Amino acid sequence: MTLHTHNIDPALTDYLRNISEPEHPALAALRARSAGHRLGKMAIAPEQAALLTWLARLMRAERYLEIGVFTGYSSTAMALALPEHGRISACDINVSFTDIARQSWADAGVAHKISLYLQPALLTLAELLEQGEALSYDIAFIDADKAPTPQYYEYCLQLVRPGGLIAIDNILLGGRVMQPADSHSPPSLRILQDFNAALPHDPRIVPITLPVGDGLTLLLKK
């Protein structure tokens, strides 16, 4: 949940963005609108979205699952990257934020690609499995509340195909994940610390974590 990568000079960030693919006008407008919101830091960093959409094109992805929509930057970016017949399942619980996302989807001309599920994501993920969606997604992106991250991950392993990608945002928690948890720490800190530590030993995936945004973990499903 950050508008830029931590610990990088803003001038360097601007330079890197300027020599990359130009930001779509609908994304630039949404980023400006989200930055003005009191919770604007919840938006994905543009370089994170650029990386994920680049990978989607490389993989020729057609189906994308998103857990945590906020105002729709990542879902809009991914919908623009997917082919015309591509489809997105987007999970969130906040009507106010997703109303902004819906407007962004419409402005970008991609609303027809996206199905929004407004209920707790764990319910939606269970329902998708019950509907026969196992192994049907090319990419899943987890960018929601941190405590259920292990549960989101286990569902995504069932929903993403072999050779597909699971991406997880905010694994650094602004650097707090590297500090010892104590009695004053939120439960999510220890949960995420234990989750991160377990990933290199999980035989079901090939993990890599990049210092992009607030930390972006990419998991290749075997």
Side-chain angles (χ1 to χ4, degrees):
M1 298 178 182
T2 179
L3 295 177
H4 57 84
T5 295
H6 290 307
N7 301 318
I8 290 186
D9 187 300
L12 176 57
T13 296
D14 290 341
Y15 177 77
L16 294 175
R17 290 177 181 174
N18 287 336
I19 62 172
S20 299
E21 181 182 21
E23 188 176 35
H24 191 280
L27 293 174
L30 177 60
R31 181 158 60 92
R33 182 176 183 182
S34 298
H37 194 283
R38 65 182 180 86
L39 297 177
K41 66 180 182 178
M42 291 173 62
I44 187 174
E47 50 267 33
Q48 289 177 303
L51 174 59
L52 290 175
T53 55
W54 189 90
L55 290 170
R57 293 187 179 104
L58 180 68
M59 297 169 59
R60 300 184 183 274
E62 299 180 355
R63 300 201 67 200
Y64 169 70
L65 172 64
E66 181 166 283
I67 304 170
V69 175
F70 188 47
T71 54
Y73 192 97
S74 51
S75 53
T76 302
M78 189 62 72
L80 288 165
L82 294 183
E84 182 60 25
H85 62 274
R87 291 295 178 264
I88 291 175
S89 298
C91 307
D92 209 293
I93 57 173
N94 190 297
V95 175
S96 298
F97 293 156
T98 54
D99 279 349
I100 299 174
R102 288 181 190 272
Q103 185 61 55
S104 176
W105 301 338
D107 292 345
V110 296
H112 61 287
K113 298 182 182 181
I114 304 171
S115 297
L116 176 63
Y117 299 86
L118 277 172
Q119 62 179 4
L122 292 175
L123 292 178
T124 297
L125 299 174
E127 290 175 358
L128 291 174
L129 286 174
E130 291 171 0
Q131 295 165 8
E133 298 293 303
L135 308 182
S136 67
Y137 290 91
D138 301 295
I139 300 175
F141 181 41
I142 301 171
D143 187 17
D145 48 332
K146 301 310 160 191
T149 295
Q151 293 99 305
Y152 294 149
Y153 169 64
E154 291 297 332
Y155 272 116
C156 288
L157 279 173
Q158 298 177 68
L159 289 160
V160 171
R161 63 169 174 82
L165 178 68
I166 300 171
I168 307 174
D169 193 17
N170 305 120
I171 62 91
L172 296 179
L173 296 178
R176 297 191 307 278
V177 76
M178 295 178 288
Q179 302 169 1
D182 58 31
S183 59
H184 301 291
S185 302
S188 58
L189 176 58
R190 176 58 61 83
I191 290 171
L192 200 58
Q193 288 174 330
D194 292 344
F195 175 77
N196 289 343
L199 287 178
H201 310 289
D202 191 331
R204 300 171 294 179
I205 48 94
V206 180
I208 184 171
T209 297
L210 304 175
V212 181
D214 186 30
L216 183 66
T217 291
L218 302 176
L219 309 171
L220 175 65
K221 180 180 173 181
K222 294 182 180 179

